Amino acid sequence: MVYVGLENVVFILSDPNYYLSAINTILFLIINVNLKVWIALAIALIMKKPFKGNIIVKFIMMVIWASSYVPLLWTWSFILHPSFGILNYTLKTLGLISRPISFLSDPSINFYVLTLLHVWKNVPFWSIMFLAGLMSIPNHLYESAMVDGAGRFQVFLHITLPNLKNLFIINYVLTTIWTSGEFVTFQMLTGGGPFFKTSTIPVYAYLNFVGTASFNIPAAALVPVIPFILLGIFVVLRTKFFTFG
Amino acid sequence: MKFKNILNNVFFLIFLVVVTIIWFFPPFLMFLNSLKTYEEIYNPRFLLPPKPTLINYLPYPLGVADPLYFIWIFNSTIIGFGTALISVGASLPAAYAVSRMQFKLKTFFSKSVLLMYLFPSSFLFIGYMKLIGGLGLYNNPLIIALIDSAIASPYCMWLLGGYLTVAAPKEIEEAAYIDGCNRFQVLLKIIFPIMIPGIIAALMYAFVIGWDEYLYALLFLNEKNTWNLNIGMSNLVIGDYAPWNQLFALATINVIPPTVLFMIIQNRIVMGLAAGATKL
């Protein structure tokens, strides 16, 4: 073991790819969390309505929640493939595009495609949580609102949303924490993108220090320190909602 | 008035159809593709298998699947159930202790339990490698279950703690003590039956964490007969070559057990999550 002092820190902080990865991570978090919360809420509202196909939607959500992430990513990489992927084939047959879109290799869109895939996988879990939250709102609130003549949107805004406030905040913060270390999506499907364009912090550490190129575990361990501190500060401001027991 | 109703219903229907297609199509495609041969998959004209075959599910002499995959299913099951039992076994007493007892660092502990997730699991593996490598505990699925319990426990603790606070407040216990129960009877006859939906929700969550485990299984399960289903699947991919038919078959098998378990107990889960996650 050789003592290298701050050499690793200097190397990481002076690497523009580090900042690119950090920006990617932040962008990913912002888009990801917002989409997840609202789409999950919308789906939970669908699942709450008593209609005949209700059980089918619940079943589909449970299937996606229960399935492993990696096989689903493979299936999506198969669907999005330019040559034999069914999405490109359908778009071409419908005449909407003339040349197949490389969803996963085109640098201008692959980051957003990966973000959407991550959202797709995690929305079912949160939609079931929101369903639980929706079911715990007592019925008499809705009934008294209807008696007072409130419209549908007003009911949603003034009764449903305030009662879900706790769940919203928990959703936001937990999703932020859970997706801040997202590694598999970006590494598996694009390998960090053409020149780190789709790399997040963990992917940056993996590619630079843990892959076969230069095996430098201490530097890899240093990479998430600053993001961790920043995220920790952000989360600590919300710990009131984390208490249990 | 009626027009607005019809418009609402139409939007609802469109949204419902879009959601169903987007979330249902990939697993459905996974299942259909597992019934095709390798060449048929590459032709996007066929969505349904032209001649459904089970060739991807049968072990080597009869089909193309690796004969060890039954053992892989067994290993995944061990890891899943092991994670579920260990996490809930550890989280339940912890949640009970925090909600009923007073001890020195109680508020700190209860506030910071979920902050454990700030360490991305893709970095904890460095420490785990040294620990488990040093102890020589390779090729043991139970060790993977133990690691995954560490990953699943904070959320289980939070879930069970919340559920305990809402569904079984102290007053119920005090009433039981007044009626003459001793501590053990209170735990067994009153607390435990109330906790069952929460426990089931926590067990399911931990089971899924264990069943989906990839990174730690990749690192610590080296013998081919100790592999996980996920590792077995990823091993089929060599560079650019991916035998999609076998991949889809294994992926379909990967999806079925958790889904079946979920469907059996789905009502209990939603009830368990309702009280635990939405602390009023």
Side-chain angles (χ1 to χ4, degrees):
Chain A
M1 289 246 238
V2 176
Y3 181 74
V4 292
L6 294 175
E7 204 179 272
N8 286 328
V9 179
V10 168
F11 177 77
I12 293 174
L13 286 180
S14 62
D15 188 356
N17 286 329
Y18 181 63
Y19 297 104
L20 182 58
S21 309
I23 294 178
N24 279 340
T25 313
I26 296 176
L27 194 61
F28 174 65
L29 276 178
I30 295 177
I31 302 178
N32 199 324
V33 171
N34 285 306
L35 278 181
K36 267 187 203 161
V37 170
W38 294 104
I39 296 181
L41 182 59
I43 297 183
L45 288 170
I46 290 185
M47 289 202 283
K48 181 164 176 264
K49 249 186 176 226
F51 66 98
K52 286 212 182 84
N54 202 349
I55 192 90
I56 297 183
V57 182
K58 279 192 202 162
F59 174 70
I60 294 174
M61 291 294 129
M62 298 247 178
V63 166
I64 304 293
W65 175 17
S67 315
S68 294
Y69 190 34
V70 171
L72 287 174
L73 279 185
W74 275 332
T75 313
W76 271 110
S77 78
F78 180 81
I79 294 177
L80 296 173
H81 198 276
S83 324
F84 47 82
I86 222 150
L87 188 59
N88 274 312
Y89 179 74
T90 316
L91 290 176
K92 224 159 126 180
T93 324
L94 290 176
L96 290 171
I97 55 174
S98 50
R99 274 184 307 133
I101 311 175
S102 317
F103 289 98
L104 294 175
S105 353
D106 187 354
S108 52
I109 55 174
N110 62 352
F111 181 74
Y112 302 103
V113 171
L114 292 175
T115 311
L116 286 177
L117 288 185
H118 191 91
V119 167
W120 179 87
K121 170 61 168 89
N122 289 106
V123 154
F125 172 71
W126 288 110
S127 69
I128 295 182
M129 297 282 275
F130 272 129
L131 177 66
L134 282 175
M135 283 179 16
S136 71
I137 301 178
N139 245 342
H140 64 78
L141 290 178
Y142 287 116
E143 286 166 8
S144 50
M146 264 180 18
V147 165
D148 287 342
R152 242 196 216 176
F153 194 58
Q154 282 175 315
V155 165
F156 179 69
L157 210 55
H158 296 291
I159 298 185
T160 317
L161 281 187
N163 273 304
L164 289 179
K165 196 173 87 132
N166 263 353
L167 204 52
F168 256 91
I169 296 184
I170 289 170
N171 192 343
Y172 261 99
V173 185
L174 264 186
T175 312
T176 309
I177 296 183
W178 278 343
T179 60
S180 61
E182 183 54 32
F183 175 74
V184 174
T185 319
F186 294 95
Q187 171 60 24
M188 216 187 73
L189 293 178
T190 58
F195 301 109
F196 289 97
K197 283 197 78 178
T198 60
S199 111
T200 53
I201 297 279
V203 176
Y204 171 83
Y206 177 81
L207 289 176
N208 272 337
F209 305 117
V210 184
T212 49
S214 46
F215 195 71
N216 188 350
I217 293 289
L222 273 176
V223 168
V225 166
I226 297 180
F228 166 70
I229 294 177
L230 290 176
L231 199 58
I233 295 177
F234 165 71
V235 164
V236 159
L237 296 176
R238 295 269 183 214
T239 44
K240 158 160 89 112
F241 297 96
F242 278 1
T243 60
F244 79 101
Chain B
M1 198 56 201
K2 228 180 167 183
F3 175 70
K4 207 165 124 184
N5 245 349
I6 296 179
L7 201 62
N8 268 333
N9 281 338
V10 165
F11 277 143
F12 176 75
L13 210 58
I14 293 179
F15 189 57
L16 178 66
V17 167
V18 166
V19 162
T20 311
I21 293 180
I22 295 181
W23 269 273
F24 182 59
F25 186 66
F28 185 55
L29 185 68
M30 221 159 49
F31 172 64
L32 288 180
N33 275 347
S34 70
L35 299 173
K36 299 181 188 170
T37 63
Y38 185 64
E39 297 79 22
E40 289 166 3
I41 290 184
Y42 274 96
N43 191 341
R45 263 192 303 131
F46 301 120
L47 182 58
L48 300 172
K51 279 185 304 218
T53 78
L54 282 180
I55 197 175
N56 303 313
Y57 289 97
L58 300 173
Y60 189 58
L62 304 166
V64 295
D66 197 315
L68 281 175
Y69 86 91
F70 297 107
I71 301 187
W72 296 342
I73 300 177
F74 180 63
N75 285 332
S76 282
T77 318
I78 294 183
I79 298 178
F81 278 116
T83 310
L85 293 174
I86 300 176
S87 333
V88 175
S91 314
L92 192 55
Y96 187 75
V98 171
S99 90
R100 301 286 191 247
M101 298 184 187
Q102 297 294 332
F103 51 93
K104 258 209 166 95
L105 285 172
K106 172 171 158 167
T107 21
F108 172 71
F109 183 66
S110 71
K111 277 189 185 172
S112 55
V113 67
L114 280 178
L115 295 183
M116 292 296 114
Y117 286 123
L118 281 175
F119 293 98
S121 130
S122 36
F123 280 100
L124 292 178
F125 86 87
I126 300 173
Y128 275 117
M129 269 175 82
K130 294 218 163 215
L131 179 66
I132 295 191
L135 292 172
L137 290 171
Y138 292 112
N139 299 326
N140 193 345
L142 287 177
I143 298 296
I144 311 291
L146 199 58
I147 299 176
D148 280 343
S149 309
I151 296 176
S153 288
Y155 186 77
C156 291
M157 265 192 255
W158 180 74
L159 186 68
L160 290 171
Y163 192 79
L164 200 54
T165 316
V166 171
K170 272 193 177 148
E171 291 75 32
I172 295 185
E173 276 194 14
E174 285 165 8
Y177 283 132
I178 291 178
D179 285 341
C181 290
N182 61 14
R183 193 175 206 113
F184 202 56
Q185 282 175 317
V186 165
L187 279 178
L188 214 55
K189 293 198 169 148
I190 298 185
I191 301 290
F192 188 70
I194 296 181
M195 288 292 290
I196 286 185
I199 293 180
I200 292 183
L203 282 174
M204 274 276 76
Y205 178 81
F207 176 81
V208 171
I209 298 266
W211 181 268
D212 291 354
E213 184 51 44
Y214 178 74
L215 177 62
Y216 295 107
L218 181 67
L219 290 173
F220 302 129
L221 297 177
N222 298 324
E223 297 286 321
K224 199 167 181 193
N225 63 347
T226 55
W227 279 351
N228 209 346
L229 259 182
N230 293 318
I231 307 296
M233 269 194 277
S234 74
N235 216 58
L236 291 172
V237 178
I238 307 172
D240 265 343
Y241 170 71
W244 292 104
N245 53 341
Q246 295 177 47
L247 278 176
F248 284 129
L250 283 179
T252 311
I253 295 181
N254 208 345
V255 166
I256 291 178
T259 312
V260 166
L261 278 171
F262 264 85
M263 290 314 291
I264 294 177
I265 56 182
Q266 50 132 339
N267 287 323
R268 300 296 194 100
I269 290 185
V270 180
M271 240 177 19
L273 289 175
T278 64
K279 286 171 29 206
L280 301 160

